[in-house]
Amino acid sequence: MSLSIMVHLDTRRAEISDRYSVISFPYYELTQMRLCVIIKQSFLSKIDTGGKDGHPSASLFIAVAEHLNFSEAARSLFVAQPAISQQIAYLEKKLGVKLFIRSKHSVELTLVGTLFLKDAREIVQRLEESVENVRLAEEGRIGTIRIGLLSVSVRSFLPLVVRSFRKKYPNIHIHFAFYNVGEINKKLERDEIDLAFTLSHGLGSMKGIAYQKLWAQPYCAILPHDHRLAASTSLRLEQLSTEPFVMLDRSQSPQGYDHILTLCAKHGFSPDIVSHASRIDAVMLMVDAGIGITVQSKHVQMYATPSLRLIDLEGDGYEADVVAC
């Protein structure tokens, strides 16, 4: 016999505050909780979880089985003996088996009753545990936080944040996963992650998603080391107008892709895109191989090899907000 308990914590808010000069979320707020209790065994579905006088039938059965006396079982539970007798008879009828052999002077467990006693104890224990888990979940003290990460520079503060959070909530599990911007937006919309550190591209048009700016992430030109402009300390975007571009597939980050095209258009040109890739590390590989150059947010620097050059762009408007949402 088994009782399957699934507690799904559905979070849409986390308070972001400034603590120890870093961004933190020590006051995690649970705003919604869905509790789904599934009893998978058909045999279990025949057992009443709420008998008369507020005692589950399984608990009444255990009391009689342990005392082997209906009167003593009734006294231990502070209920009337007829109530226990009626509940046991009702349970036996629903199960279609005899749990006890009764005589005027004794009560004994049948073989089926002996086997069922172990299962009944497990049922009651699981029910008690589920009640405690629901209480803790409602208080925000157990559960799982699913965090989606873009490869932005969260390493400077996130470990400290998590360490502080876990000291206060040791029973809340934290799961990290890296995604691109488009994937994070989709997972936020589908409620598949609870918190994200990402770029702000597209978030403004997504209903029900609140976010807070952490810092501005500059865009840069990324060139191979032997490019004619590789020694520059900064570049104007229009200096790249005749260069072949390699880009991340638009499907991976539609808003980010369109943002780069918009930047180019504002400076009087449409980039000559010679190749696309489905992963940003592949884009960087193509730049390194001399296939083309690219313009990206500086969060991609973690993918850069020593032979690549990340060069700042001159002027205003070459930034994207890094946000928590």
Side-chain angles (χ1 to χ4, degrees):
M1 309 298 169
S2 63
L3 181 67
S4 175
I5 303 295
M6 297 193 308
V7 178
H8 174 62
L9 299 178
D10 177 18
T11 307
R12 179 47 50 224
R13 293 171 56 196
E15 184 174 334
I16 311 296
S17 64
D18 190 5
R19 186 180 185 187
Y20 308 125
S21 300
V22 298
I23 304 298
S24 63
F25 52 101
Y27 303 108
Y28 171 75
E29 181 181 348
L30 177 67
T31 57
Q32 297 179 51
M33 182 180 68
R34 295 194 298 267
L35 171 66
C36 181
V37 180
I38 302 175
I39 300 177
K40 292 184 177 179
Q41 280 260 358
S42 60
F43 187 62
L44 259 163
S45 67
K46 298 179 181 179
I47 302 171
D48 277 355
T49 56
K52 293 182 179 180
D53 301 303
H55 291 282
S57 297
S59 296
L60 298 176
F61 165 75
I62 292 170
V64 176
E66 290 177 344
H67 290 280
L68 292 178
N69 186 294
F70 279 76
S71 297
E72 290 182 13
R75 282 194 294 270
S76 71
L77 296 175
F78 302 99
V79 298
Q81 179 182 330
I84 286 191
S85 298
Q86 290 172 10
Q87 282 294 306
I88 295 300
Y90 177 72
L91 181 60
E92 289 179 325
K93 182 178 179 181
K94 291 205 75 174
L95 295 176
V97 296
K98 282 291 183 182
L99 300 173
F100 296 100
I101 300 171
R102 303 167 180 81
S103 69
K104 290 183 179 180
H105 304 291
S106 66
V107 176
E108 296 179 10
L109 281 166
T110 63
L111 177 59
V112 173
T114 300
L115 295 173
F116 181 60
L117 178 58
K118 178 182 177 182
D119 294 326
R121 284 173 171 153
E122 180 182 344
I123 292 165
V124 172
Q125 180 182 351
R126 294 286 184 89
L127 287 171
E128 290 173 350
E129 288 174 354
S130 70
V131 170
E132 177 65 8
N133 285 340
V134 170
R135 184 184 67 80
L136 291 173
E138 189 173 12
E139 295 174 0
R141 291 165 57 191
I142 64 170
T144 300
I145 299 176
R146 303 156 299 174
I147 300 178
L149 299 172
L150 190 66
S151 53
V152 292
S153 304
V154 294
R155 294 177 183 177
S156 60
F157 72 88
L158 195 56
L160 294 175
V161 172
V162 172
R163 193 177 287 271
S164 172
F165 183 85
R166 284 181 55 79
K167 285 181 180 178
K168 188 170 184 179
Y169 301 104
N171 293 320
I172 291 182
H173 302 288
I174 299 178
H175 175 73
F176 297 100
F178 280 93
Y179 306 105
N180 62 46
V181 174
E183 289 171 334
I184 285 179
N185 289 357
K186 288 179 181 178
K187 288 185 176 294
L188 285 170
E189 284 185 316
R190 296 170 183 169
D191 249 358
E192 294 176 0
I193 54 177
D194 304 306
L195 179 66
F197 293 94
T198 182
L199 299 180
S200 58
H201 295 316
L203 293 177
S205 61
M206 294 169 60
K207 294 182 179 179
I209 304 298
Y211 59 92
Q212 181 169 329
K213 177 179 176 179
L214 303 181
W215 65 82
Q217 183 81 62
Y219 273 78
C220 64
I222 304 175
L223 315 175
H225 69 95
D226 55 353
H227 191 278
R228 61 184 179 83
L229 299 173
S232 305
T233 56
S234 64
L235 290 170
R236 299 186 312 277
L237 186 59
E238 55 266 31
Q239 288 180 265
L240 305 175
S241 61
T242 60
E243 298 291 332
F245 272 65
V246 292
M247 297 278 284
L248 186 68
D249 285 338
R250 188 179 184 278
S251 60
Q252 299 300 310
S253 179
Q255 297 84 3
Y257 187 97
D258 294 344
H259 181 67
I260 293 172
L261 295 188
T262 299
L263 288 175
C264 293
K266 286 181 178 179
H267 289 80
F269 73 98
S270 177
D272 176 21
I273 302 173
V274 297
S275 189
H276 291 85
S278 61
R279 292 167 54 99
I280 192 63
D281 51 349
V283 172
M284 304 292 270
L285 179 63
M286 287 192 290
V287 173
D288 217 355
I291 296 173
I293 61 99
T294 192
V295 172
Q296 297 290 334
S297 163
K298 267 194 173 179
H299 79 272
V300 302
Q301 61 189 340
M302 67 177 295
Y303 299 105
T305 63
S307 57
L308 288 176
R309 301 291 181 265
L310 278 65
I311 303 175
D312 293 336
L313 294 172
E314 297 176 7
D316 299 325
Y318 300 112
E319 292 181 340
D321 290 338
V322 177
V323 300
C325 55

